[in-house]
């Protein structure tokens, strides 16, 4: 499975892009050459720091069907990356968790201490446990070797270069793609569900700035939630309206209430972030949506969809 | 080895350990059925942390069934110090065994969990539904999570491929071939070794802690018989606790007294209350087992202790200690 690219950002030299296969082509029939390839990559690049974003991800329906693959492949990727990092003496690794891995039965708002307080939702338990085990492995590296391997927990990320596939992607890019199609074909926009569930959305560029801050300044092993505050939670209907406005859509907007709403809310607390960065300013939601819609429109051909 | 055809070939990993040896014994004593071919392997046969070696072992043996006992285990102090190794190596072993089993078409795998992996904060008695309801005790979180993930992976094999990969959860196992090391081993073999040394040197027996914590002990030979039953008859993916009932819980003091009596020790027995007691209780419910096997009879505790003490005395030289 191809993953994204590792980019080196140097101040004076242009970013270098290495497209690599961290995941072996076949599954278990050969010696673990994915581990070997990962180690070879780390020896070639010799990083001092790592931001680990690579994962096998998918929409709800794929997760439901392939819990074993989502568990195994992500555990392999994570173990290969973390252990190669350890072996070449990386000083810090920042991995990426997700609010969907929290306990299914929980109180709100969720916070960083609650990750393991009960089982995750059963639909994607393979993916969820694999992500949770990043935190377990981080703590084990710290306990046994004193390493600073940590993780962040973003809420719903969106922005340019997203997966805009309507079946597989997440809600906001899905809405953007749908509005684009509705405009092109002169039809209505049909939003799945009632529109009432609420989400905290974080613009990918804001998340990226925070990732860089975490890499440099955040030295706890316990993860940190990166999100707008609870007060900035919006409903799916409000998100749809923002997309409609950004894309200047004038057609009808309907809600297909036969489709599942998913979780009603997943409200996460960003108090820890605000303790560290009380003055960090998130891009206003409407502006971020506008920028993302503009990107999608201009890059329609090559966008992942 | 060729395909067993219509018969059954059972691969037992961790075959040389406490439970593995007990299964060997009960199978040799007649628990095996005609047409069953039992293959016991240990680390001498393959390094199960290595995927290629594990796969080669499975292709060579071609089992139809697997009892998976192999693990990196250790006493409290080793666990506390090496959480990363206990996590990684056990995850590797378990993934290699489960996935090799899947790939060669094994019909059933029975793995082995432990009551120590349950949530630290919990109500009692603990039961099979509670494994993931909160984090385990922090001292051995690496080991505990690795064991828990066997259950997660079992459920994933079932969800995606319909496999019957399951697990058992024994309480405190004891018996011949145990690890009798006083630092690293568990409480009952530790007591047996201590009494042996106290007798030899004419000194007192010092039991660590207050003697008040309570445990359910299961004799390895009883556990072995139940493992064979699970392999043949238990078809749920959710694990099953294998233990004596709550009513048979004993205190550490009572366990010490049973060892003292079995070994005919007449010296002084003292309690070093400066030493940690560990968890006060870990009471597990065996209701699920009793629903399936209402009439299963466990070896009486005193008899099991006597047999284990006798084994230790007769095999002192080669016993693991």
């Amino acid at each position: 499975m191809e993953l994204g690219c590792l980019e080196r950002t140097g101040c004076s030299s242009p970013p270098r892009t290495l497209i690599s296969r961290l995941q072996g082509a076949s599954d278990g029939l050969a010696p673990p050459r994915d581990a070997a390839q990962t180690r070879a990559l780390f020896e070639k690049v010799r990083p001092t720091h790592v931001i680990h974003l690579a994962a096998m991800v998918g929409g709800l329906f794929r997760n439901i069907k392939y819990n074993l693959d989502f568990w195994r492949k992500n555990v392999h990727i994570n173990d290969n990356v973390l252990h190669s990092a350890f072996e070449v003496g990386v000083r810090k690794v920042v991995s990426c968790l997700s609010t969907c891995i929290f306990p299914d039965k929980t109180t709100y708002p969720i916070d960083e201490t609650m990750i393991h307080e009960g089982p995750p939702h059963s639909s994607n338990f393979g993916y969820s446990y694999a992500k949770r085990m990043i935190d377990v492995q981080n703590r084990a590296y710290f306990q046994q070797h004193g390493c600073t391997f940590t993780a962040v927990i973003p809420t719903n990320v969106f922005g340019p270069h997203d997966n805009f596939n309507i079946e597989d992607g997440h809600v906001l890019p899905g809405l953007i793609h749908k509005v684009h199609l509705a405009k092109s074909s002169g039809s209505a926009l049909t939003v799945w569900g009632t529109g009432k569930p609420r989400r905290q959305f974080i613009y990918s560029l804001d998340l990226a700035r925070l990732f860089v801050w975490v890499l440099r300044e955040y030295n706890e092993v316990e993860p940190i939630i990166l999100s707008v505050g609870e007060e900035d939670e919006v409903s799916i209907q409000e998100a749809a309206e923002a997309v409609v406005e950004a894309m200047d859509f004038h057609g009808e907007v309907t809600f297909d209430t036969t489709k599942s709403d998913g979780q009603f809310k997943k409200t996460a607390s960003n108090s820890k972030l605000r303790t560290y960065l009380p003055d960090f300013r998130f891009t206003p939601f409407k502006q971020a949506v506008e920028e993302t819609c503009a990107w999608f429109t201009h890059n329609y051909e090559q966008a992942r969809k």
Side-chain angles (χ1 to χ4, degrees), chain A:
Chain A
M1 189 204 89
E2 287 277 331
L3 38 75
C5 41
L6 283 175
E7 296 203 359
R8 181 190 296 178
T9 62
C11 298
S12 52
S13 50
R16 269 192 32 194
T17 308
L18 295 163
I19 304 220
S20 304
R21 299 183 66 88
L22 283 192
Q23 184 70 32
S26 67
D27 184 24
L29 292 171
R33 61 180 196 275
D34 48 350
Q37 289 189 47
T38 310
R39 180 59 191 266
L41 176 71
F42 273 74
E43 289 190 354
K44 178 173 166 182
V45 174
R46 298 221 74 91
T48 57
H49 295 67
V50 175
I51 291 179
H52 172 43
L53 306 173
M56 176 177 167
V57 297
L60 180 66
F61 299 107
R62 245 195 348 134
N63 263 283
I64 284 178
K65 216 175 156 194
Y66 297 108
N67 272 293
L68 179 69
D69 293 349
F70 276 93
W71 160 253
R72 285 192 83 233
K73 290 188 190 303
N74 281 314
V75 166
H76 292 170
I77 290 171
N78 298 332
D79 186 55
N80 291 340
V81 170
L82 291 177
H83 212 64
S84 293
F86 169 71
E87 287 181 325
V88 305
V90 164
R91 291 176 227 161
K92 192 161 175 187
V93 179
V94 182
S95 295
C96 196
L97 310 186
S98 166
T99 46
C100 73
I101 72 176
F102 275 75
D104 186 37
K105 293 185 181 21
T106 185
T107 55
Y108 294 99
I110 55 186
D111 67 50
E112 293 86 350
T113 65
M114 294 160 67
I115 298 174
H116 306 283
E117 291 294 334
H121 194 268
S122 60
S123 59
N124 63 337
F125 72 89
Y127 174 87
S128 294
Y129 275 115
K131 284 289 186 182
R132 289 182 177 205
M133 293 306 114
I134 291 176
D135 178 57
V136 169
Q137 199 155 341
N138 284 346
R139 290 191 278 128
Y141 278 107
F142 177 70
Q143 179 271 305
Q144 189 168 330
H145 297 290
C147 306
T148 310
F149 290 4
T150 188
V152 305
I153 315 173
T155 47
N156 276 50
V157 194
F158 71 100
H161 305 281
D162 205 340
N163 175 7
F164 292 84
N165 181 291
I166 289 166
E167 292 287 329
D168 266 352
H170 293 111
V171 63
L172 207 44
L175 285 169
I176 293 173
H177 191 178
K178 280 185 176 180
V179 169
H180 182 101
L181 293 176
K183 277 179 77 174
S184 316
S185 63
S187 45
L189 165 68
T190 304
V191 180
W192 287 346
T194 62
K196 295 190 183 347
R198 304 179 67 71
R199 295 289 182 266
Q200 286 150 298
F201 290 99
I202 178 169
Y203 191 28
S204 60
L205 296 175
D206 293 337
L207 178 59
R209 290 178 197 108
L210 289 171
F211 247 110
V212 173
W213 168 78
V214 168
L215 184 75
R216 292 184 183 140
E217 311 279 354
Y218 178 75
N219 292 318
E220 294 184 44
V221 171
E222 186 191 73
I224 179 167
I225 288 170
L226 300 181
S227 174
V228 298
E230 303 169 51
E231 64 282 2
D232 289 316
E233 206 175 38
V234 298
S235 69
I236 299 303
Q237 178 166 353
E238 289 168 321
E241 286 165 359
V243 173
V244 159
E245 191 178 319
M247 296 181 82
D248 203 34
F249 176 69
H250 297 289
E252 192 191 353
V253 178
T254 65
F255 291 85
D256 179 358
T257 53
T258 68
K259 290 275 200 285
S260 165
D261 259 342
Q263 225 171 317
F264 181 71
K265 53 188 277 163
K266 308 185 191 181
T267 320
S269 166
N270 74 347
S271 300
K272 188 175 196 179
L273 173 64
R274 283 306 185 194
T275 306
Y276 278 95
L277 294 179
D279 300 325
F280 182 83
R281 297 192 57 223
F282 289 91
T283 306
F285 183 61
K286 285 196 171 187
Q287 178 188 334
V289 170
E290 280 165 16
E291 291 179 12
T292 307
C293 292
W295 183 90
F296 183 72
T297 305
H298 290 138
N299 293 277
Y300 184 77
E301 292 306 313
Q302 56 268 42
R304 286 186 287 152
K305 59 192 185 295

